[in-house]
Amino acid sequence: MAKIKITQIKSVIDRSERQKRTVAALGLKKINHSVEVEANDAIIGMIRKVNHLVAVENI
């Protein structure tokens, strides 16, 4: 699978607990924090649920 870079661009303050946990499960901690992960179906589904909080780039 391809690697992707996920960057948190918005805060999780005042978001549902489920969205907070999804962002944490992606490995993101703060705004502008980035992680590189393998793009699999689980990761893509998590990104889809919080796409308004993150930015995604192909590597």
Side-chain angles (χ1 to χ4, degrees):
M1 301 296 284
K3 288 196 81 145
I4 56 175
K5 180 178 179 182
I6 308 167
T7 305
Q8 183 177 344
I9 57 170
K10 288 194 175 182
S11 174
V12 294
I13 294 174
D14 205 27
R15 302 291 176 179
S16 70
E17 189 63 32
R18 187 171 185 151
Q19 289 179 358
K20 290 178 185 180
R21 289 183 181 180
T22 302
V23 170
L26 287 169
L28 300 170
K29 296 173 175 36
K30 297 180 175 183
I31 295 176
N32 293 326
H33 181 235
S34 298
V35 292
E36 293 180 6
V37 294
E38 290 290 330
N40 59 36
D41 291 339
I43 296 293
I44 292 169
M46 289 164 50
I47 291 169
R48 220 175 260 147
K49 290 293 184 180
V50 294
N51 65 348
H52 55 288
L53 302 175
V54 298
V56 181
E57 302 174 32
N58 289 326
I59 297 180

